[in-house]
Every structure is written in structure tokens, then in C-alpha cells.
Amino acid sequence: MSTQTRTPARLVLASASWGRKKVLTDAGLQFSTQVSAVDEDAVLATAIDRLGQQSPAQTAQLLARAKAEDVAHAGHPAGTMVLGCDSVFELDGVAYGKPHTEQVARERWQQLSGSTGVLHSGHWLIDTANPEQARGQVSSTVVHFSTVSDAEIEAYVASGEPLPCAGAFTIDGLAAAFIESIEGNFQNVVGLDVFVLRSLLDHAGVSIVDLWK
């Protein structure tokens, strides 16, 4: 599909995540945000009822799609591309979202210490002019954690940083000191894989350079 005859593209991020906003900003992309009103628990429960138990990667993609579709239905100018994202952390085959409370974050880090998990980020892109051509992709990154002392866990939990984060950690914040290495895309662990976004935009006939500031 030629990009020369298209209305100039604009990107809308269907997320309130500061991490995802930072990834897009650091990548030099122009975008706006519109937070979805999706009830994630209800969406997941419906999917399980219809399709059976969802893997962590499937859950991330399912919720990313739901968020994108919710925002895409709001009505947007021609050329609007809506990107939905969701991240799910997998440890020993179990999916973990945001801990929300200090007690849950503390328990989570007792599990993470010395362990290896996988951060899955689902991406779903909708061209509001051609919603039937929407497409998605999951990016998965293996994360190796160092052994962390009880005192370090207490200090990290007290910082408040892990409470709103999938898996109870951020790789671009205080928890960076506890992560030995990763296998995969760094930005994906923050919440959004720009390489995947480029691929999805290309499928929709849009060059990512057209979104550069």
C-alpha cells in the first residue's frame, strides 16, 4: 500500500503508562494518549469462558487488543492509528500483573530473587480508516534477576516503584540494580517494543519516519 496518497498519520497510545510514553518520546515519535475504559478482569474472564485458559503471552495480546478497540471506537480524525499495549510477567508458567500493594510486591520479590522470568508485551494497532486490517504482535523478553537480600527488598518495596508495574519491577528504574541481564528487547520490558510498532505500522502502509517529530 502506498503511503504517498494517505492522510498524514497520527498515533494515539491507548495507555496511561508513563513507561510506554517515555519509550515513544525517546524514539522521537509524535503521539497523543487516550486511556481506555476496559475492565481487564472482565475481558480476561470472558476469553477464558469462550476459549479456555489463556497463556501469559495470550493474555497480554488479548488485553492490548481490547484497549485498542475501545479507544478506536471513540471517533478519530482520518489517518489515526490507535496502539493498544499490555504487559504480563511470567514466572514458572504463572502470569503476574501489577502487585498494587506492598505485601504482594514483597512476596513477589521473594520469588523473583535469583530467578528468571519472561516479560510479555502485547501490541495491537488499529488503522481507524481500515479497522478490519488491524494487526497485533507479542514481544517477549527473558529477564534474569540477581539474588536480592531481604533488606534490599524492603527498601525497594518502600520506594513504591514496584506497585503499579507488571511483575513488580521496572528495568529503567531502581530495580535495574537487581537485574543481571536480559535476552530480548530492552524497550519491551519497559512496556512497548518500538521495533514491533514499526512492523505493525508498515503492515498498515505507514512508515515510522512519518511519525518522527
Side-chain angles (χ1 to χ4, degrees):
M1 181 186 299
S2 171
T3 62
Q4 296 181 354
T5 59
R6 288 182 60 94
T7 301
R10 60 189 298 269
L11 179 66
V12 174
L13 175 64
S15 173
S17 165
W18 64 268
R20 295 188 183 109
K21 293 177 186 177
K22 185 175 187 302
V23 168
L24 293 178
T25 299
D26 289 349
L29 302 180
Q30 300 182 70
F31 69 98
S32 60
T33 60
Q34 183 174 335
V35 183
S36 77
V38 167
D39 182 332
E40 297 184 17
D41 291 338
V43 169
L44 182 56
T46 299
I48 292 174
D49 185 57
R50 291 178 52 235
L51 305 171
Q53 191 64 42
Q54 301 292 288
S55 71
Q58 289 173 323
T59 298
Q61 186 71 310
L62 172 76
L63 296 178
R65 178 172 183 170
K67 293 175 183 179
E69 290 178 342
D70 180 67
V71 170
H73 290 155
H76 297 278
T80 300
M81 315 296 293
V82 177
L83 176 65
C85 297
D86 190 80
S87 296
V88 175
F89 184 72
E90 178 181 358
L91 184 65
D92 297 329
V94 178
Y96 292 99
K98 303 169 184 177
H100 296 299
T101 69
E102 290 190 358
Q103 181 58 32
V104 174
R106 184 177 297 108
E107 294 171 354
R108 191 74 47 77
W109 266 94
Q110 290 168 348
Q111 294 175 281
L112 293 179
S113 178
S115 299
T116 294
V118 184
L119 195 291
H120 305 283
S121 286
H123 306 71
W124 193 265
L125 186 72
I126 299 176
D127 178 351
T128 56
N130 299 287
E132 69 283 354
Q133 297 182 14
R135 185 168 179 160
Q137 185 175 330
V138 176
S139 180
S140 301
T141 303
V142 176
V143 183
H144 300 282
F145 296 92
S146 174
T147 299
V148 185
S149 70
D150 290 342
E152 288 171 323
I153 291 175
E154 288 300 324
Y156 184 52
V157 170
S159 76
E161 181 181 274
L163 304 189
C165 302
F169 73 95
T170 62
I171 195 171
D172 57 343
L174 300 177
F178 307 141
I179 296 173
E180 290 186 359
S181 63
I182 66 171
E183 300 171 46
N185 185 279
F186 174 87
Q187 292 175 322
N188 180 59
V189 184
V190 181
L192 195 164
D193 187 329
V194 178
F195 180 79
V196 167
L197 173 59
R198 174 179 171 239
S199 176
L200 297 177
L201 287 168
D202 184 66
H203 176 77
V206 176
S207 171
I208 198 168
V209 304
D210 294 333
L211 297 174
W212 286 351
K213 295 179 181 178

